[in-house]
Amino acid sequence: MSRLADPRPPKRPSKVRQACDPCHLRKIRCDGCRPCTNCQESTADCTYFAVHKKTGPKGGPRHARRPLQRRPPPVIWKYPLSSPGDRSADSKASQSKRTPESSSSDAAFQPSPQISGAVIQWCLNAYFKHKYPLTPILDRQQIEQIPSTVEQYGLIAACCAVIALSPEILLPSSAQDDLTIPPADFLISETLRSRQHCNLAENPSLTHIQTSFFLYAAFFCMEKDNSAWYYLREAITILQTLRLHEEATYSDADDPILATYARRMFWVLFITERAYALQRNRPITLQSTLNLPIVHPLSSDAEILLGFLDLVSLFRPFDSGFIANWNSATPSNSTDPAHLSRLQNLLKYTLLNVSNYSQVQQADLLVSRQWLKIIVWKLCTSKTMLSTASSEDVMSLHYPVSIARGIVLTSQLLPTQAFEANGIGILEKVFDVGCSLADLLSLVPAGSQGSAMDVGAIDTLMETVRIVGTRFGGSYRHLSMLADKASRCLLINVDRSLPLPVDKWDDTVD
């Protein structure tokens, strides 16, 4: 019996997504009907059982690089740069400008009245005067613009927390008699509260990286190492999520200003991660994968960036191999002594002229260089690579004498505020140099100090103790530890050179 033909033509789909199995094997065009015209003519079974491979690049969209562009978050309020008393009037003026979207967001989050516009301006002035030369990661024009956002509020609160922990660097203000900077704990809590209204994991941004970095800096100043490490890692993770550690990301950037500060942020984290790894025996993840920031001679940041690039050059030679060897409980003997000697010479002859930089940068550069020399010296000591040559020899057991003398000279050339602006990080570096010198003096026999040791090593140690006690606002914990170590190695009672804290003075008066 012959097959009855259907008087109606087969329905042709608007778009052929997959050829039938016979047409696919014969490599002929299929019309996608069921059955298709070719199968009807050849009386073949028209089936669609085969699962064809997807076309396109391997890995699919998950490997696609997102272009670097500024994501405009919704405006939620207009933040006044004024005193708390003027806040209500400015708030009423902004009510009429709110969109339905911003009104719903505003209802979900409100900034604290304690973080007034005047307080913000006071803190930002201090940051750009003293902290910006060390960490040039904020665009002043962008950070001070109004209206503000939840993300920006969290960033500002975190930045203010860092300044609140260094009140000595606050600049004089005409309104400062009526201003009070909230405690750092409160400012940190405000930052974390604002983050509850941001999808940080799905909407990463440069602002979040900057916020995490300031949270790290605040917790580091508060000596809360676990929290500091957590937020430093968070900043690096967000940076890597956005692929801001890859040079190709910047070639597709739509916003040159955003790209500029993203590149600076990478190198700040590059330096910070290495310094923290050496201070707290932590691993590192960032490698030297980006080009350095470009310095435009006519830019207002030219001198700051030149000093910043010098700081990068100090930490760049300390790669993952050196850090892993430093962090190892049993250092490997595979390290080449010639490599460590070259590293010491590199540190010794770098930074030939820093006089054109700000005093804050000079303190950071000169002290960091001496501290890195001590780090290399300690690693050489653990491998018994040192000789008993003159203290000027970079591979000498007595090299800390020369290193500490450099610290003393730097403290004599720069004002106290230059050290205070650097925070507790520079204090720990000076403290580390002083402890190494005290350890050396305790190892050298008393009879050999006049010949093997340079004249003045004991005086240098005493001066280092004084610097720790007077140049950083008086850190009693670091001063007490260094003074005790010096007293034990010199067998004398070292004067701590600091008055008692205020509460102890009150007790003695009563």
Side-chain angles (χ1 to χ4, degrees):
M1 183 176 179
S2 61
R3 181 183 298 175
L4 297 177
D6 191 346
R8 296 174 299 176
K11 186 177 180 180
R12 184 185 299 272
S14 59
K15 184 178 181 180
V16 179
R17 296 182 178 276
Q18 179 179 340
C20 67
D21 299 337
C23 290
H24 180 68
L25 290 173
R26 295 167 62 189
K27 296 183 179 181
I28 60 176
R29 185 181 297 277
C30 180
D31 58 16
C33 294
R34 297 175 182 267
C36 71
T37 303
N38 295 331
C39 290
Q40 285 182 338
E41 293 177 352
S42 62
T43 66
D45 291 333
C46 189
T47 59
Y48 290 82
F49 294 144
V51 179
H52 301 293
K53 295 181 179 180
K54 295 181 179 180
T55 60
K58 293 183 179 180
R62 69 187 181 92
H63 290 296
R65 180 176 286 105
R66 184 182 303 174
L68 180 60
Q69 56 187 357
R70 194 181 298 276
R71 176 173 56 85
V75 174
I76 63 165
W77 74 83
K78 188 173 183 179
Y79 211 104
L81 291 179
S82 58
S83 62
D86 299 332
R87 187 178 181 80
S88 59
D90 191 273
S91 177
K92 292 178 181 178
S94 64
Q95 288 286 343
S96 60
K97 300 182 181 179
R98 291 177 179 171
T99 64
E101 180 182 10
S102 66
S103 297
S104 61
S105 300
D106 200 359
F109 181 84
Q110 287 291 332
S112 169
Q114 296 187 50
I115 310 179
S116 66
V119 167
I120 291 174
Q121 193 65 60
W122 198 18
C123 290
L124 289 180
N125 287 340
Y127 165 79
F128 282 102
K129 173 67 175 179
H130 296 290
K131 297 291 188 180
Y132 184 79
L134 305 173
T135 54
I137 58 175
L138 294 184
D139 179 6
R140 185 161 195 167
Q141 183 177 359
Q142 190 270 335
I143 199 67
E144 290 182 341
Q145 70 179 359
I146 53 176
S148 187
T149 64
V150 172
E151 286 184 11
Q152 190 175 8
Y153 175 82
L155 171 60
I156 290 174
C159 181
C160 289
V162 175
I163 301 302
L165 292 166
S166 302
E168 61 276 357
I169 68 173
L170 284 167
L171 303 175
S173 172
S174 58
Q176 69 185 59
D177 294 337
D178 300 328
L179 293 179
T180 301
I181 297 180
D185 288 333
F186 172 79
L187 293 166
I188 291 173
S189 68
E190 281 295 289
T191 301
L192 300 180
R193 182 174 72 91
S194 71
R195 283 193 157 187
Q196 296 175 1
H197 298 264
C198 304
N199 193 340
L200 182 60
E202 290 300 322
N203 298 304
S205 67
L206 177 60
T207 300
H208 286 313
I209 301 174
Q210 295 163 335
T211 303
S212 296
F213 173 76
F214 282 120
L215 286 174
Y216 151 78
F219 282 117
F220 183 79
C221 290
M222 298 166 70
E223 301 186 65
K224 295 183 178 181
D225 289 336
N226 289 340
S227 297
W229 171 243
Y230 176 88
Y231 285 106
L232 177 59
R233 296 295 305 157
E234 181 179 77
I236 294 173
T237 299
I238 301 173
L239 179 131
Q240 292 177 323
T241 300
L242 292 171
R243 298 184 180 273
L244 296 180
H245 62 300
E246 299 176 4
E247 189 62 43
T249 303
Y250 296 83
S251 62
D252 301 330
D254 296 331
D255 188 337
I257 296 179
L258 180 65
T260 295
Y261 285 95
R263 188 182 297 274
R264 294 184 189 182
M265 187 74 254
F266 168 85
W267 285 109
V268 167
L269 290 174
F270 179 90
I271 295 169
T272 304
E273 185 185 35
R274 276 157 174 71
Y276 195 80
L278 294 171
Q279 289 173 317
R280 299 293 188 271
N281 295 99
R282 299 288 190 177
I284 62 173
T285 57
L286 292 180
Q287 305 301 324
S288 181
T289 55
L290 280 192
N291 295 331
L292 293 170
I294 298 176
V295 181
H296 299 286
L298 300 180
S299 170
S300 59
D301 285 351
E303 288 187 1
I304 289 177
L305 287 180
L306 288 174
F308 180 67
L309 294 181
D310 276 346
L311 190 63
V312 173
S313 69
L314 286 179
F315 284 89
R316 209 170 184 178
F318 292 83
D319 55 15
S320 55
F322 183 95
I323 300 296
N325 205 4
W326 169 262
N327 290 337
S328 176
T330 55
S332 171
N333 292 324
S334 60
T335 302
D336 182 11
H339 172 70
L340 296 179
S341 177
R342 287 193 298 269
L343 186 54
Q344 284 286 43
N345 279 300
L346 180 65
L347 293 170
K348 181 177 182 179
Y349 295 108
T350 192
L351 302 181
L352 296 178
N353 185 14
V354 298
S355 59
N356 292 330
Y357 303 151
S358 69
Q359 293 179 332
V360 175
Q361 280 186 308
Q362 290 183 45
D364 187 24
L365 286 166
L366 296 175
V367 172
S368 294
R369 180 180 64 171
Q370 301 304 97
W371 174 67
L372 290 173
K373 292 177 183 178
I374 282 292
I375 294 295
V376 180
W377 177 83
K378 286 183 177 181
L379 188 59
C380 292
T381 302
S382 67
K383 297 176 178 295
T384 64
M385 296 179 177
L386 302 175
S387 67
T388 57
S390 166
S391 65
E392 297 298 327
D393 190 329
V394 297
M395 298 301 286
S396 168
L397 178 65
H398 309 303
Y399 195 35
V401 179
S402 177
I403 296 173
R405 191 178 296 117
I407 293 286
V408 171
L409 178 60
T410 300
S411 71
Q412 293 172 347
L413 295 175
L414 297 173
T416 299
Q417 195 175 46
F419 289 85
E420 293 174 342
N422 279 271
I424 194 174
I426 196 172
L427 164 63
E428 290 198 357
K429 293 172 183 177
V430 176
F431 172 79
D432 204 4
V433 172
C435 288
S436 297
L437 179 56
D439 291 337
L440 173 64
L441 289 174
S442 65
L443 292 174
V444 177
S448 65
Q449 291 181 7
S451 55
M453 300 290 295
D454 288 38
V455 176
I458 295 177
D459 293 334
T460 301
L461 176 59
M462 300 292 284
E463 184 65 16
T464 304
V465 174
R466 189 194 66 80
I467 293 171
V468 170
T470 60
R471 284 292 178 135
F472 306 97
S475 172
Y476 290 92
R477 184 175 70 84
H478 290 89
L479 173 63
S480 179
M481 289 189 293
L482 182 56
D484 288 343
K485 181 182 282 286
S487 297
R488 288 194 300 270
C489 77
L490 301 179
L491 300 179
I492 60 175
N493 186 19
V494 176
D495 182 13
R496 284 157 171 75
S497 304
L498 276 183
L500 292 173
V502 175
D503 53 350
K504 292 186 177 181
W505 275 113
D506 295 340
D507 294 340
T508 57
V509 172
D510 293 339

